[in-house]
Every structure is written in structure tokens, then in C-alpha cells.
Amino acid sequence: MTSEHVWGEWTKGYVERTANKHNHANVFVPKPGQPEPAQVRIRAGDHLDAQVRIVCSDCNSGWLSRIQNGAKPILIPLFEGAKLSLDQPAQQRVAAWVAMATMTGEYLSGDQARVAIPQSDRTWLMEKGTPPPGWCIWIGHYPRQQNPTQWVKASFPVANVDELPETPTAEDLAPTMQTTAFSVGDLFAFAMSCHFAEIPMGWDWRTAPEARNLLKPIWPPHSGEINWPSPPMSDNDAQSISASVVRYFEDFAIRLQNR
């Protein structure tokens, strides 16, 4: 196994590393309205230099490198907040890169029990070069602020209750849905995936309505071109959007209790 830069070592040439330490938050929600305390880890160095040792050298220099190189010409102006039009092929390349970073970054916590993305999704990305079915990805323009959202991940066990045994095991309640938010330069990305594809496809940002104006959907690709940059996001916007699905499950639990 080799160490893989989550966002790509090449980004050093375009996004300044300014932090001498960084944090990332990992939230697991075993039941609606009952999130476990977030695992917040503080690490030395800038978050954009984060690495995980989970890929083989052939993958690192092969299909992962192809995704990085395919997205690079589009990502650079996104990092810089420059004017750009993204057609469907451009949206697909950026979405593949976001999916790759999400899949790789999932291992930053070092907690296998919180890994929600199945191997079948990683195989799909390797073979097809696109995010798998059951994925939705949005991007936003997030000029660097005082407290930029760096990496926030939430995972949820979503299952068909009719298929669960009377006494579910830990394996039965393993996470099958995740949301990941991260920023690189002026680019903010939000990825959502689930074993039940209708959940990401039906997500309407009801707990963060500002996202409907601030974020642009790139996967599935938007039918027309996306003009960039989109309206700028604030720190509060980024924090609200990052935790939007967790809040939805909290609100869902409250509604159940009030019935």
C-alpha cells in the first residue's frame, strides 16, 4: 500500500497551505435524532496535505491519477474562483474527482466502523470513471474565510426495516449512507451517497434552503452549462450546509416523538 493524498499533491501549486494544524469532524448517527459525539481530530499541517495509506501503487499511478489529471484543468479555476462555464463533460470530471476524494477521505478517521461507502462503489469509479449510482454531488463558491469548513463527514445506517432481523446485529446497523463536505481553495464540495439511490436523488435541502441558491448540482450532471462562480458562501453557510442532513434526521426524530 502507498500513501495517497486525499485531494492530490498537485494542488500545492495552486492552493496556498496556510495552516500549521487542521481538524476534521466525523459524525455517526445510529438513530434519527441521536448522533454520537462527533469525532473531531486535530492534526499537524494543512488539511490539504492529508494522506491515507489505503491504495496500491498501481491504482495510485493508474486510474486515480487519470481522474486527477482529467479534472485538473477545470479544478484550477474553481480553486481560484475564476470565471468558467462547466458543460456536462466538465461536470462529470469534477464530480469524479469529488467522489474520489470522498472515498479516500473516508479513511482519515481510521475507524472502519464508520466507513459507509461499499467496495462496489469504489470499483464502479475505477471502471467507469464516474460517480456510482446513488450519488449526488454539489459544488459552491467559498472564498477563504476566517474559519473555513475543511472536512465534515456524517454517516448513517439506512436499512429496509422489513429486511432487518428481530434483533439486529452491528453488521445489520452498519452505515450505508454518508455525506461529506470539504473545501479546497475557493471550491466547496458536498457529496451524498446511499445504498438507496432515491434518498440522495430526492434531497431538497429543506434544512439548509440557502443551498438551493448557493450550490450547483454537478452529479447527476446539470442539463445545461453552469456559469461560475456561483454566489459566494459564508462560513455560516458552509457550516449549515455541511450539517444539513444530520439536522434533518434530528427534525425527523422530533416529528416522530410529537405524533
Side-chain angles (χ1 to χ4, degrees), residues 26-31 36 39 41 105-118 122 151 153-158 169-178:
N26 192 338
V27 182
F28 179 58
V29 185
K31 294 181 181 179
E36 293 181 352
Q39 287 186 355
R41 298 194 177 190
E106 191 172 38
Y107 289 90
L108 283 171
S109 69
D111 187 349
Q112 184 68 30
R114 298 194 181 202
V115 172
I117 301 171
R122 304 173 199 277
W151 188 84
K153 184 215 167 189
S155 54
F156 315 79
V158 179
T169 65
E171 184 177 355
D172 294 322
L173 299 178
T176 56
M177 171 178 163
Q178 65 81 33

Side-chain angles (χ1 to χ4, degrees), residues 32-33 247-259:
R247 288 201 307 279
Y248 169 78
F249 278 99
E250 291 174 343
D251 294 346
F252 179 74
I254 292 173
R255 292 197 301 273
L256 287 179
Q257 293 171 359
N258 292 337
R259 284 185 176 180

Side-chain angles (χ1 to χ4, degrees), residues 34-56:
Q34 299 180 26
E36 293 181 352
Q39 287 186 355
V40 179
R41 298 194 177 190
I42 299 176
R43 298 170 180 258
D46 196 286
H47 80 290
L48 296 179
D49 291 327
Q51 300 179 51
V52 290
R53 187 176 290 274
I54 60 164
V55 299
C56 68

Side-chain angles (χ1 to χ4, degrees), residues 191-257:
M192 183 177 185
S193 67
C194 183
H195 176 72
F196 300 96
E198 62 270 22
I199 295 179
M201 296 297 293
W203 179 240
D204 61 3
W205 297 105
R206 65 190 66 185
T207 52
E210 65 274 16
R212 297 168 187 160
N213 178 54
L214 296 173
L215 299 186
K216 300 296 184 182
I218 61 169
W219 192 264
H222 190 271
S223 57
E225 289 192 350
I226 295 175
N227 293 321
W228 200 260
S230 55
M233 299 169 57
S234 67
D235 285 340
N236 287 339
D237 293 329
Q239 292 165 8
S240 173
I241 290 169
S242 299
S244 57
V245 179
V246 174
R247 288 201 307 279
Y248 169 78
F249 278 99
E250 291 174 343
D251 294 346
F252 179 74
I254 292 173
R255 292 197 301 273
L256 287 179
Q257 293 171 359

Side-chain angles (χ1 to χ4, degrees), residues 76-150:
I76 293 170
L78 294 178
F79 294 164
E80 297 172 346
K83 289 185 177 181
L84 180 71
S85 291
L86 287 85
D87 58 14
Q88 287 195 353
Q91 295 171 44
Q92 177 179 314
R93 292 188 185 99
V94 174
W97 178 83
V98 172
M100 180 203 67
T102 299
M103 292 178 184
T104 307
E106 191 172 38
Y107 289 90
L108 283 171
S109 69
D111 187 349
Q112 184 68 30
R114 298 194 181 202
V115 172
I117 301 171
Q119 179 57 42
S120 57
D121 280 12
R122 304 173 199 277
T123 301
W124 178 286
L125 180 64
M126 177 183 68
E127 295 179 347
K128 309 289 187 180
T130 68
W135 281 67
C136 286
I137 295 172
W138 297 259
I139 58 174
H141 175 50
Y142 182 29
R144 284 283 175 150
Q145 306 290 324
Q146 290 185 344
N147 300 296
T149 294
Q150 298 171 330

Side-chain angles (χ1 to χ4, degrees), residues 159-174:
N160 186 334
V161 293
D162 294 331
E163 298 177 357
L164 285 175
E166 185 174 343
T167 305
T169 65
E171 184 177 355
D172 294 322
L173 299 178

